Amino acid sequence: MYCQIRQQHGPDRELLEQSIKGELSPQSHVISYETKSGLVVFGLDNYSDINVEISVTGVGRWARRAIFQHFFHYLFNELQVKRASALVHPDNEKCIKLITQLGFVHECSLRGIDVDLFSLLPTDTNYYEFTKTKVKDSEARADSRAGQRAMAAE
C-alpha cells in the first residue's frame, strides 16, 4: 500500500483547524499521511511525557491500518507518551465509532461544553501491539542475518 508522510504542514494545519472549528496552539505538531485515495491530518497538542491531545481530520478514504500503526508507534515509542486523549462531540458518531474501534475508551462527558473525553493507553489498542511485535520481529531477523553473515565470514 502506498502511504507517504507529507511535509507541507501549512495547508494541512489549516484543513485541521477548519475541521475542528478552532485553532491549534503554536506549539502543536501536525502529522499528515497521504494515500492514493485520501489524506489524513493528525494534530498533536498540549504534549507532555504523560499525555498528548489528538485532533484528526481526513479527506477521502484514508483510514488504513499502516497509518494507525505508524502513528501509534510515533506516539508511544518516539514521543514516549503514556496516553493520548481526544475530545469528541457526542453527535459525531462516525468519529466515535472509529476511535472506539482503535481502542480509545470513553472517560467522561465534560460538563458545560457538550464534549466527550476519550483516552488511549498503549495497552488499549491492537494497532500498537502489532507494531511492537513487527519491530521486534524485524530486529530479530536483522540480528539473525548479521549472525549468519558473521558465521559465513569465519
Side-chain angles (χ1 to χ4, degrees):
M1 180 197 77
Y2 169 83
C3 177
Q4 172 182 340
I5 298 176
R6 288 170 48 117
Q7 300 299 318
Q8 36 186 311
H9 296 304
D12 294 344
R13 183 184 193 92
E14 291 171 13
L15 176 67
L16 182 58
E17 289 178 339
Q18 287 174 355
S19 174
I20 64 173
K21 297 178 177 81
E23 292 185 8
L24 298 170
S25 73
Q27 298 82 18
S28 66
H29 298 283
V30 174
I31 301 173
S32 307
Y33 299 88
E34 185 174 19
T35 68
K36 289 182 180 178
S37 57
L39 167 70
V40 61
V41 182
F42 293 99
L44 306 177
D45 215 345
N46 296 323
Y47 165 76
S48 72
D49 60 344
I50 296 172
N51 186 64
V52 63
E53 295 176 13
I54 299 173
S55 302
V56 63
T57 191
V59 177
R61 298 179 52 89
W62 57 267
R64 303 283 187 257
R65 179 175 291 273
I67 290 173
F68 294 119
Q69 289 168 344
H70 183 271
F71 183 67
F72 292 145
H73 175 79
Y74 178 74
L75 287 181
F76 298 121
N77 286 73
E78 302 298 321
L79 295 181
Q80 297 185 345
V81 297
K82 294 180 180 38
R83 58 178 264 145
S85 61
L87 297 174
V88 181
H89 193 277
D91 293 339
N92 193 343
E93 294 173 8
K94 195 174 180 181
C95 180
I96 292 171
K97 180 181 177 185
L98 173 64
I99 66 173
T100 54
Q101 287 175 343
L102 292 173
F104 280 80
V105 175
H106 181 263
E107 288 198 353
C108 64
S109 297
L110 301 179
R111 298 177 335 136
I113 58 173
D114 197 26
V115 172
D116 291 337
L117 173 65
F118 290 82
S119 67
L120 181 76
L121 303 176
T123 55
D124 292 338
T125 181
N126 292 331
Y127 292 92
Y128 177 65
E129 290 300 318
F130 178 85
T131 302
K132 284 195 325 189
T133 302
K134 189 173 180 181
V135 168
K136 286 180 184 175
D137 288 348
S138 66
E139 288 171 354
R141 283 194 300 274
D143 290 344
S144 174
R145 285 192 299 267
Q148 289 170 353
R149 283 192 297 268
M151 288 174 56
E154 293 176 355

